[in-house]
Amino acid sequence: MGNDLASCPTWTPSEATSESYGHTIRAMKLSSFLKFGFVIYRCTYRDDAAWTQLLSLIKREAQEDIKELGPGRDWLGAHLEWTVVEDPTLDGATQEEVKMRFDGWADGVMEEYERASTDNVRGLPRFNFCVFVDKKCLASLEKSKAVVDGRKPPVFVVLMRANRGIPTWVLEAQASASRRPRSSEDEEEEIFEDEEEEEEEEEEEDDIPLAAYEATWMYVETQHLLSLYNSLHADSGWEHFYVRPPVVYGRNEV
C-alpha cells in the first residue's frame, strides 16, 4: 500500500483504479507535481458567513475522507491544496468569465513548471477543472438544513471544465453558431426568452440536451469533490461521470 508517496509503486492505470486515490498518487509520481485539489472561485459576495461555512465544509469533508483511508493513505492530506480565489470583481461573474481567468492561471502555472521540469502536468485535473461558487451554491447550504423525504438535500458547487478539455470540433461548432447572422426571428425569440428567463431557467436547461463531451459544467455535492478529482485523471473521466443539471453528481436532486 505504501505509507508515503515514495513507497508507493507507479501503478498502471488499471492498477491505480483498484487503489484508494490511486490515480491521484500515480499522477503525482509521474509528473513530480506534488499538489492536488481544485481551484475554487468565489463569485458571490453578499453573504460572508455562508461562504465561510461552505469553504470550511469542503475542507473538512476532504480531510475526513482522507483520514478514513487509514495510515496507509492519510499522508495524502499533506499534499491536498485548495487554491481559493476571492476577488470582489468576480461578484456576479459568469461561468465563461471565470473559465477564461482559470485558463489563464492554469496556462501560467503549467508553463512555469515546465520551464524547470520535463514532466508533463497538462493532464492533471487541477489544471483542467475548477470550482465555481455562486449564490445558488450558497443557498444549498441553507436548504440542506431541512429534511426532505427522510434525507437532507445536498450542499453543492459547480464544477467547470476548461476549454482545453473540450474537443476542438465542439468548440469550433460553438464558435460558428455564435457568429451566425441574426435574423429578425432570432431577435424576437431573444426578447421573449429574456422576459421568461428567471421563471423558466431550469425548464430551458432541460429543453437543450447536451452530450457529455459537449457539456462544460455540472453540479457536484461537496463531499464528492475529492473522489471525483481522483476519477477525472482518466481521459474519459468527464464523459463517464457527467450528470446533466439540475441533477447533482452524487445525488439525484438539487
Side-chain angles (χ1 to χ4, degrees):
M1 178 176 287
N3 292 318
D4 54 28
L5 181 62
S7 63
C8 288
T10 303
W11 300 298
T12 64
S14 60
E15 289 171 337
T17 299
S18 62
E19 297 285 342
S20 298
Y21 289 92
H23 292 295
T24 298
I25 295 170
R26 179 175 184 270
M28 285 196 287
K29 292 186 73 71
L30 290 175
S31 68
S32 299
F33 190 87
L34 305 183
K35 299 176 184 177
F36 73 101
F38 294 115
V39 179
I40 302 173
Y41 288 89
R42 179 184 182 183
C43 300
T44 179
Y45 289 79
R46 296 184 179 180
D47 193 336
D48 290 340
W51 161 253
T52 299
Q53 185 180 351
L54 178 63
L55 190 59
S56 296
L57 179 65
I58 291 173
K59 293 180 177 180
R60 184 177 72 252
E61 288 177 335
Q63 290 296 342
E64 289 175 350
D65 193 16
I66 291 174
K67 186 176 180 180
E68 288 177 1
L69 297 175
R73 284 288 186 275
D74 57 2
W75 53 266
L76 276 168
H79 297 276
L80 175 60
E81 181 177 294
W82 304 105
T83 298
V84 180
V85 179
E86 292 189 68
D87 181 349
T89 64
L90 290 175
D91 191 18
T94 65
Q95 290 185 17
E96 193 59 34
E97 289 169 339
V98 173
K99 190 187 299 183
M100 290 177 61
R101 179 161 175 168
F102 170 69
D103 284 346
W105 170 86
D107 286 341
V109 174
M110 289 188 295
E111 289 170 6
E112 181 179 355
Y113 184 79
E114 289 170 352
R115 280 196 292 268
S117 173
T118 58
D119 296 317
N120 183 6
V121 297
R122 293 186 176 271
L124 298 181
R126 184 175 179 83
F127 303 123
N128 288 280
F129 302 90
C130 68
V131 171
F132 173 98
V133 178
D134 60 7
K135 60 183 180 182
K136 186 171 184 177
C137 299
L138 292 189
S140 72
L141 266 175
E142 186 63 29
K143 291 181 179 179
S144 72
K145 297 176 182 178
V147 176
V148 179
D149 296 329
R151 65 188 309 199
K152 292 184 177 181
V155 179
F156 59 83
V157 294
V158 172
L159 184 69
M160 297 194 304
R161 181 165 61 151
N163 281 334
R164 71 177 64 83
I166 304 173
T168 301
W169 70 268
V170 173
L171 292 175
E172 290 174 347
Q174 292 172 342
S176 177
S178 68
R179 292 193 297 269
R180 178 173 59 86
R182 295 169 58 81
S183 65
S184 58
E185 184 177 328
D186 290 332
E187 293 175 354
E188 291 176 2
E189 183 176 337
E190 184 175 283
I191 292 173
F192 174 77
E193 288 177 351
D194 286 343
E195 291 174 349
E196 303 294 332
E197 181 176 3
E198 290 188 8
E199 181 179 342
E200 300 184 356
E201 178 182 359
E202 292 186 1
E203 292 182 11
E204 288 173 4
E205 289 177 349
D206 289 342
D207 289 340
I208 308 175
L210 281 178
Y213 57 77
E214 296 178 287
T216 60
W217 67 277
M218 67 175 171
Y219 293 121
V220 177
E221 191 172 8
T222 56
Q223 66 175 327
H224 294 291
L225 280 172
L226 210 58
S227 60
L228 184 57
Y229 182 97
N230 179 68
S231 300
L232 289 172
H233 283 90
D235 290 338
S236 59
W238 175 265
E239 287 79 5
H240 184 72
F241 292 100
Y242 172 75
V243 292
R244 185 173 166 226
V247 176
V248 178
Y249 175 84
R251 298 286 285 273
N252 293 319
E253 70 274 2
V254 172

